[in-house]
Amino acid sequence: MVEPGLIRAAQSGDRDALITLLREIETHVYRTAYYILNNEQDAMDAAQEALIRIYTKIGSYEEKAQFKTWIQRIVTNICIDKFRRSKPTVSIDEHEMVFREKQNVEDEVMSAYAVQDIRKAIDKLPEHHRAVVVLRYLQDFSYNEIADSLDLPLNTVKSYLFRARQQLQTLLHDYQKGGVRG
């Protein structure tokens, strides 16, 4: 993800290296925040808070853990804190659909509905299950990286993923039977 030399330079006080480092990770940080919070404004706030925390805490990073798991732990913890502080709200995100020539419009619409329904199902998961699903399937983290990021035992991560998959399977029952949303 990021060159170790850049991290060391940022830790040693090189301001340009630190700014370069933050620019390299900002998209990753925002994406993670968005997947967890499912709200653009909240994700931008959480990403900004995470980048500030990384900026101020870069000196405390130890190379025992991978840099990406250290970052992920910061972002995830901020998002979970933000999620706990906020009252449940309904996200009204409007997505513009762009239809390309030579594509089946019906398939595009059904695909967009499927993505929307999967997103809604993930949102219904308990926060600890949602976090492991986001890290595993949307951020492509290994089980060990998830355990490091969330400071959980490996077996707990596996258990959370198993339960989350069961819950998603129940929530997405119509799609398993070939049904459509109505």
Side-chain angles (χ1 to χ4, degrees):
M1 182 177 179
V2 177
E3 292 181 32
L6 183 60
I7 297 167
R8 281 189 225 100
Q11 286 182 301
S12 68
D14 182 340
R15 187 173 166 82
D16 291 336
L18 182 56
I19 290 169
T20 301
L21 175 72
L22 292 173
R23 284 190 178 135
E24 284 190 26
I25 64 172
E26 70 183 337
T27 301
H28 173 75
V29 168
Y30 170 77
R31 187 177 330 130
T32 299
Y34 184 77
Y35 285 141
I36 293 173
L37 298 170
N38 195 28
N39 178 293
E40 187 176 344
Q41 191 61 48
D42 289 344
M44 288 180 0
D45 291 345
Q48 182 177 9
E49 188 176 334
L51 290 170
I52 290 169
R53 191 165 300 164
I54 292 164
Y55 177 85
T56 59
K57 303 283 186 185
I58 190 73
S60 68
Y61 167 69
E62 298 175 4
E63 291 187 29
K64 294 178 200 172
Q66 289 184 25
F67 187 67
K68 78 176 188 176
T69 58
W70 182 74
I71 291 169
Q72 197 64 48
R73 180 178 292 164
I74 291 171
V75 176
T76 304
N77 287 339
I78 288 170
C79 289
I80 289 172
D81 288 345
K82 192 169 198 51
F83 184 74
R84 285 181 182 152
R85 287 189 307 255
S86 70
K87 295 177 184 172
T89 59
V90 177
S91 175
I92 305 174
D93 290 342
E94 291 189 32
H95 299 284
E96 224 176 276
M97 294 179 58
V98 178
F99 299 108
R100 296 176 200 94
E101 282 186 48
K102 299 182 183 180
Q103 285 192 335
N104 185 332
V105 173
E106 184 177 343
D107 289 345
E108 286 282 324
V109 170
M110 293 311 298
S111 213
Y113 279 136
V115 168
Q116 186 179 29
D117 287 346
I118 290 168
R119 186 74 230 168
K120 285 179 183 177
I122 290 171
D123 287 345
K124 290 179 183 177
L125 295 174
E127 63 189 53
H128 53 280
H129 289 172
R130 183 178 326 128
V132 295
V133 166
V134 166
L135 295 178
R136 179 70 182 133
Y137 298 110
L138 302 177
Q139 295 293 344
D140 202 29
F141 272 43
S142 71
Y143 288 179
N144 288 327
E145 290 171 333
I146 296 168
D148 289 344
S149 293
L150 299 177
D151 199 23
L152 295 171
L154 182 60
N155 285 335
T156 302
V157 169
K158 291 178 182 179
S159 174
Y160 283 178
L161 278 169
F162 177 77
R163 288 187 184 123
R165 283 191 297 262
Q166 284 181 319
Q167 290 171 323
L168 287 172
Q169 193 171 21
T170 301
L171 291 167
L172 297 170
H173 188 260
D174 288 343
Y175 283 104
Q176 293 171 342
K177 290 189 172 187
V180 295
R181 84 200 306 256

